[in-house]
Amino acid sequence: MSKKTLIVGNWKMNLNTAGASLLMHRLHERIKIHRDIEVVLAPNLLVLQPISVQIDRRKFRLAAQNAYQKDEGPYTGEVSFTMLQDLVHYVIIGHSERRIHFNESLDEVRDKVAACVRNDLTPILCVGETHNDRKAGESKQVLHDQVTTALSNLTSQEVENMVIAYEPVWAISTFGGELAKPDLVKSEMDFIRKQVADLYGQKVSERVRILYGGSVDNNVVSGFLAIEGCDGVLVGGASLNYHKFSGIVDVAYKLGHNGDSDG
Ligand code: 13P
């Protein structure tokens, strides 16, 4: 089954409405519609609403960076998946910055994934080990725990439709510093896919889309997209620069797909 290459820009806590709008318009001018590539933008929550009315949905889909697992109620300061239903297609869940800075637990991430699919949105579940996990030889155990907990209580259909992003914490935002080697990324992605196969069978594991994230820019992206079983990339810093982000989309286009374009 052919899957679209997924290029996701996680703008994190950057850009006000004017800045986000400008970047979105520049990307719109620069990026062509490719039928085999899906480009997703994840602005901050405040900016999502105005961007959602400006965006060309033939070119981009939107993602939220987080949401709360209850649908409504006395949870001051939170926004639910239910409230995002008309705005976004995807929600990023369990990003390491949320696990680390906001103490999101394995169980909380599992509840968010469940709330996301309950509200007909597609989770982009982030998993990845820290530098200390890797030094201690515990990377596989960490990935196993993150994947199996987050996927419990889902149907096969829900799992095959979701996206998992492998983002080793030690490789995030290190531009010019440590970069994960494609061999290592492949090995951990294969391991993640195996966890899905053990839980939901081979077919589901082949259908679930697995992305790589961690200091990806237009210069290094080809090495990651060339990995067998890598279905796309989750981009942080470089997604704030329209040359770099559209360059990433160009590379995906050249690598994967024979020059077919719809626009
Ligand atoms: P960088 O691309 O800045 O390393 O961020 C990766 C990331 O955390 C995307 O979610």
Side-chain angles (χ1 to χ4, degrees):
M1 191 189 69
S2 82
K3 292 184 270 187
K4 286 190 179 195
T5 301
L6 197 52
I7 310 290
V8 185
N10 177 7
W11 291 352
K12 304 192 180 183
M13 198 180 73
N14 294 291
L15 302 175
N16 60 13
T17 303
S21 179
L22 183 64
L23 177 56
M24 196 268 296
H25 280 106
R26 284 186 158 161
L27 289 172
H28 182 267
E29 273 167 29
R30 177 69 173 66
I31 288 175
K32 291 208 176 78
I33 296 171
H34 303 308
R35 72 171 77 97
D36 295 322
I37 297 175
E38 187 178 334
V39 182
V40 179
L41 304 176
N44 69 65
L45 264 183
L46 193 64
V47 161
L48 258 182
Q49 173 80 48
I51 288 291
S52 77
V53 293
Q54 296 171 22
I55 204 154
D56 181 345
R57 286 173 192 260
R58 292 169 310 155
K59 254 183 201 179
F60 304 108
R61 278 182 158 164
L62 285 174
Q65 298 173 15
N66 177 41
Y68 192 59
Q69 56 267 36
K70 305 284 186 190
D71 289 344
E72 62 180 356
Y75 303 101
T76 302
E78 295 296 329
V79 169
S80 70
F81 290 89
T82 314
M83 292 163 178
L84 292 170
Q85 268 180 341
D86 297 333
L87 293 178
V88 302
H89 190 88
Y90 295 98
V91 184
I92 297 172
I93 297 175
H95 193 282
S96 58
E97 286 151 16
R98 296 216 53 86
R99 295 183 196 256
I100 292 167
H101 302 309
F102 302 97
N103 299 318
E104 275 190 11
S105 66
L106 293 174
D107 288 352
E108 200 172 349
V109 171
R110 175 201 59 207
D111 292 347
K112 288 187 179 203
V113 171
C116 188
V117 299
R118 182 172 75 235
N119 283 286
D120 296 322
L121 297 168
T122 302
I124 301 176
L125 168 70
C126 297
V127 297
E129 79 286 359
T130 63
H131 186 63
N132 284 345
D133 297 331
R134 181 152 289 279
K135 252 189 9 205
E138 287 171 359
S139 302
K140 296 267 193 293
Q141 186 61 46
V142 168
L143 291 174
H144 168 271
D145 293 349
Q146 290 178 344
V147 172
T148 54
T149 310
L151 299 193
S152 43
N153 306 332
L154 300 180
T155 65
S156 300
Q157 184 78 43
E158 287 165 346
V159 174
E160 71 178 44
N161 287 336
M162 69 185 282
V163 179
I164 301 175
Y166 171 54
E167 295 207 310
V169 180
W170 50 270
I172 291 178
S173 301
T174 64
F175 293 102
E178 194 170 12
L179 193 66
K181 299 226 171 14
D183 280 358
L184 179 146
V185 172
K186 175 169 173 24
S187 147
E188 305 304 30
M189 281 183 159
D190 288 348
F191 180 77
I192 290 167
R193 221 177 269 286
K194 173 146 190 340
Q195 305 314 297
V196 179
D198 289 349
L199 287 169
Y200 290 96
Q202 190 67 21
K203 260 204 184 115
V204 173
S205 80
E206 283 165 12
R207 288 181 179 160
V208 70
R209 287 168 294 173
I210 303 187
L211 314 182
Y212 173 70
S215 303
V216 173
D217 66 15
N218 48 325
N219 295 316
V220 300
V221 67
S222 59
F224 297 112
L225 288 179
I227 296 170
E228 195 191 333
C230 177
D231 298 308
V233 284
L234 178 52
V235 185
S239 71
L240 295 166
N241 177 307
Y242 87 101
H243 285 297
K244 289 185 180 174
F245 192 64
S246 53
I248 288 170
V249 178
D250 288 344
V251 171
Y253 184 44
K254 280 189 197 123
L255 267 183
H257 311 279
N258 316 312
D260 291 350
S261 160
D262 291 338

